[in-house]
Amino acid sequence: MEDILTTPISQTALAHFEARLQNDEKIEPKDWMPEAYRKTVLRQMMQHAHSEVIGMQPEGNWVLRAPSLRAKKILLAKIQDEGGHGLYLYSAAETLGMDRTEMIQLLHEQKAKYSSIFNYPALTWADIGAIGWLVDGAAIVNQVSLQRTSYGPYARAMVRICKEESFHQRQGYEIMATMMKGTPEQQAMAQDAMNRWWWPSLMMFGPHDADSPHTEQSMEWKIKRESNDRLRQKFIDKTIDQAYVIGLTIPDKDLKFNEETKSYSIGPINWDEFWSVVKGNGPCNKQRMTHHIKYHEEGRWVREALEAFAKKQIEMN
Ligand code: 3HC
């Protein structure tokens, strides 16, 4: 097929598209956009939506084991939010021309990803605190930046989602702070969760910019407004002091505070672990996918009933 970007009409369309980006205008579903832009935004939004839904699994395992009714209600509210974020993002991603059925098929065929962080097990109640505080804390840093992304439906979805994420991060931090004021066993449990979730939370931001195949183009298209490393550093600088305030130790013997730049430098991230998890060899990859496929199949009758009802409604009108 002739390259769509070389025909004269598209050169004009491309120049117009780039001028709009320069003006920080939002690209809307019905606007002309380069096919490569559409594909990149769709890939990122689809994987973001998958992450929100798969992310419900580690926390769902703790609803029946929450230590109080209050804790159970908060966790239920958070999990429900995550499901809603997933549906919101699927709807926004569908404006780019792919139905969520196909997106979920790609997930099940492992041709679409979800965030590596959700392939780690939630072993104790303190993990629920660490997930809320660190994982949602990292997600907030990323998603606040994405509120300025160039694709309109994605930016607007982020504004709505960020409002709920701040509650998620705070409730997680409250769990960790409460445990750090508790018995020595509870303090040890919180520190153990910190030790297991700190580095995987840093990996959420993706590979270093120099190793990221998408960042440069995504920054040019203003899909990403800040790079992986820039967002990771923001999260580090924001979170380490929160840990110190409640008495947690950062599991990084190379950690240093730079008085000049007023920011922290960290030890090396284990990228072998990261890519191994991304490639499907994390502690919970198989469990997460088996669970998702099982319950997606179990829900098939609901989707079919709704489709039949909608079809009937159309026939009757
Ligand atoms: N987990 C899994 N895959 C990852 C990853 C991670 N943490 N980080 C990067 N990758 C993948 C990318 O998807 C890409 O693979 P692909 O080409 O097959 O899609 C490859 O590694 C190269 O990485 P890049 O950095 O070049 O890719 P991106 O430009 O897409 O950047 C990203 C990665 C920073 C995660 C970006 O996609 C992004 O900002 N996504 C939106 C935010 C998001 O998805 N967050 C996930 C967590 S959602 C969440 O935490 C919900 C909260 O409520 C708990």
Side-chain angles (χ1 to χ4, degrees):
M1 185 181 111
E2 191 190 355
D3 178 357
I4 186 171
L5 293 187
T6 52
T7 50
I9 176 65
S10 301
Q11 289 300 339
T12 316
L14 185 60
H16 180 58
F17 169 79
E18 287 169 349
R20 297 189 62 208
L21 289 180
Q22 287 316 313
N23 294 338
D24 267 338
E25 290 176 39
K26 291 294 177 230
I27 306 302
E28 298 299 337
K30 291 199 174 12
D31 294 343
W32 185 92
M33 62 185 85
E35 179 56 13
Y37 174 89
R38 187 192 69 84
K39 274 189 181 152
T40 297
V41 181
L42 175 58
R43 172 188 60 83
Q44 180 166 324
M45 290 176 76
M46 165 175 28
Q47 295 182 155
H48 197 160
H50 292 335
S51 303
E52 297 278 4
V53 172
I54 298 270
M56 295 163 77
Q57 288 190 35
E59 293 171 322
N61 292 334
W62 279 88
V63 170
L64 297 180
R65 293 183 279 169
S68 70
L69 181 57
R70 177 181 180 271
K72 188 194 291 269
K73 285 194 292 186
I74 292 173
L75 183 57
L76 279 170
K78 177 181 189 306
I79 295 168
Q80 185 179 312
D81 282 350
E82 307 298 8
H85 296 173
L87 297 179
Y88 215 69
L89 283 162
Y90 282 129
S91 300
E94 282 179 327
T95 63
L96 287 162
M98 183 187 283
D99 186 89
R100 69 188 72 187
T101 313
E102 194 180 341
M103 294 183 213
I104 290 168
Q105 190 55 35
L106 289 171
L107 172 71
H108 289 172
E109 292 168 1
Q110 295 174 41
K111 292 176 187 149
K113 295 181 166 71
Y114 60 90
S115 187
S116 50
I117 191 72
F118 297 122
N119 289 309
Y120 291 84
L123 301 175
T124 71
W125 178 250
D127 286 42
I128 298 303
I131 290 172
W133 172 44
L134 297 175
V135 174
D136 287 69
I140 289 176
V141 170
N142 172 286
Q143 292 170 165
V144 163
S145 180
L146 281 170
Q147 289 180 124
R148 296 182 296 119
T149 190
S150 55
Y151 188 58
Y154 198 15
R156 292 187 290 273
M158 288 296 102
V159 172
R160 153 86 185 269
I161 286 173
C162 283
K163 288 193 178 91
E164 294 173 343
E165 291 293 2
S166 41
F167 144 64
H168 299 171
Q169 191 260 2
R170 263 187 230 121
Q171 62 82 38
Y173 190 56
E174 184 193 68
I175 290 172
M176 296 300 267
T178 305
M179 294 189 81
M180 289 306 285
K181 283 186 278 199
T183 63
E185 292 78 12
Q186 287 168 332
Q187 291 173 17
M189 190 185 274
Q191 185 61 55
D192 167 60
M194 177 79 195
N195 296 344
R196 284 184 287 107
W197 287 93
W198 174 248
W199 290 102
S201 298
L202 301 188
M203 296 174 194
M204 281 176 71
F205 293 95
H208 284 310
D209 299 344
D211 305 321
S212 157
H214 298 302
T215 291
E216 192 182 342
Q217 181 62 70
S218 288
M219 296 280 285
E220 236 176 78
W221 279 333
K222 298 189 177 179
I223 296 167
K224 281 183 171 178
R225 300 312 299 263
E226 292 163 282
S227 73
N228 296 0
D229 286 328
R230 175 78 201 100
L231 292 174
R232 195 180 350 259
Q233 189 62 51
K234 267 186 172 178
F235 171 69
I236 290 165
D237 291 340
K238 184 176 106 141
T239 308
I240 288 179
D241 293 342
Q242 290 171 357
Y244 289 156
V245 162
I246 58 176
L248 282 166
T249 309
I250 304 295
D252 177 359
K253 61 181 174 34
D254 300 319
L255 187 68
K256 284 191 195 67
F257 184 69
N258 184 320
E259 281 300 339
E260 255 173 60
T261 60
K262 298 288 178 226
S263 77
Y264 289 93
S265 60
I266 60 169
I269 294 175
N270 182 342
W271 292 114
D272 290 342
E273 175 186 329
F274 170 75
W275 288 116
S276 170
V277 172
V278 170
K279 290 191 174 90
N281 307 308
C284 299
N285 294 58
K286 288 179 188 49
Q287 176 189 337
R288 299 289 183 243
M289 202 41 59
T290 306
H291 183 97
H292 193 281
I293 291 169
K294 174 176 186 295
Y295 288 101
H296 187 69
E297 280 315 305
E298 281 197 13
R300 179 179 296 280
W301 70 271
V302 176
R303 296 190 297 276
E304 287 170 355
L306 285 171
E307 279 160 16
F309 176 74
K311 202 163 153 232
K312 193 87 187 134
Q313 291 295 93
I314 295 165
E315 283 162 10
M316 282 163 58
N317 291 336

